[in-house]
Amino acid sequence: MSPRADSRTGAATPAARTRDADAMAVTGFVLGLVGLLVMNVILGPTAVVLGALALRRHTTRPGRARLAIGLGLADVVLLVCLVTADGTWSWSLT
């Protein structure tokens, strides 16, 4: 049995759920930030989902989770702008 699980029910303890939610918030933030530069088609939606899950699981870092959602949405908007500007799914310097 996992050390983060309750020995009677097998469910995750509240402290473990909070740690997991905090990790989701931080991971979503980092993915959203990196997604502004590379692979925004994948990292943007992933950051939005992780940020929303972190908020739903009552993270102790709600600001970071909201930033993850905002950056993920910015990634998607940037992708739409890139696609409409030059018709491709990637950055183009020429």
Side-chain angles (χ1 to χ4, degrees), residues 15-94:
R17 287 181 55 87
T18 301
R19 274 195 310 271
D20 290 345
D22 291 347
M24 284 184 202
V26 172
T27 303
F29 171 72
V30 170
L31 291 179
L33 199 58
V34 172
L36 290 172
L37 300 175
V38 294
M39 296 187 350
N40 45 4
V41 69
I42 296 168
L43 298 181
T46 304
V48 171
V49 169
L50 286 174
L53 282 174
L55 284 176
R56 186 168 186 150
R57 293 184 182 186
H58 305 293
T59 181
T60 59
R61 300 172 186 255
R64 187 107 1 120
R66 288 184 190 102
L67 278 172
I69 293 170
L71 286 169
L73 292 174
D75 292 348
V76 174
V77 168
L78 180 64
L79 175 66
V80 169
C81 291
L82 287 172
V83 169
T84 57
D86 62 0
T88 67
W89 289 86
S90 63
W91 293 91
S92 177
L93 298 176
T94 58

